[in-house]
């Protein structure tokens, strides 16, 4: 069985990496680009998950009101 997985490639967020080094005083600075990249991808996934959940809830509420 030949399965192909599709995924979205996100380029390294160089601007966000440099901005956290220069301007962020609230959160701790991540000096390692690989650790920053991992944390950034996790935050992106969490943001997408929350957005998807909100859209699903809205859809289910519309279905409930239409029935």
């Amino acid at each position: 069985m030949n399965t192909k997985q599709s995924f979205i490639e996100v380029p390294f967020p160089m601007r966000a990496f440099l901005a956290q080094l220069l301007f962020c005083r609230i959160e701790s600075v991540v000096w390692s680009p690989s650790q920053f990249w991992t944390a950034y991808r996790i935050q992106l996934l969490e943001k997408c998950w929350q957005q998807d959940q909100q859209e699903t809830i809205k859809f289910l509420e519309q279905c409930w009101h239409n029935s």
Side-chain angles (χ1 to χ4, degrees), residues 52-67:
D52 187 44
Q53 283 181 331
Q54 291 172 355
E55 290 177 7
T56 303
I57 290 170
K58 287 179 185 177
F59 175 74
L60 291 174
E61 286 177 348
Q62 288 176 350
C63 291
W64 178 259
H65 290 297
N66 289 338
S67 62

Side-chain angles (χ1 to χ4, degrees), residues 1-3 5 7 9-11 20 23-24 30 36 41 43 45-47 49-52 56 58 60 64:
M1 185 158 109
N2 190 4
T3 61
Q5 294 181 355
F7 60 93
E9 283 191 37
V10 179
Q20 64 107 23
F23 303 114
C24 187
V30 179
F36 180 81
R41 288 186 294 176
Q43 290 173 355
L45 284 172
E46 289 173 347
K47 188 176 181 181
W49 175 255
Q50 289 175 355
Q51 182 179 3
D52 187 44
T56 303
K58 287 179 185 177
L60 291 174
W64 178 259

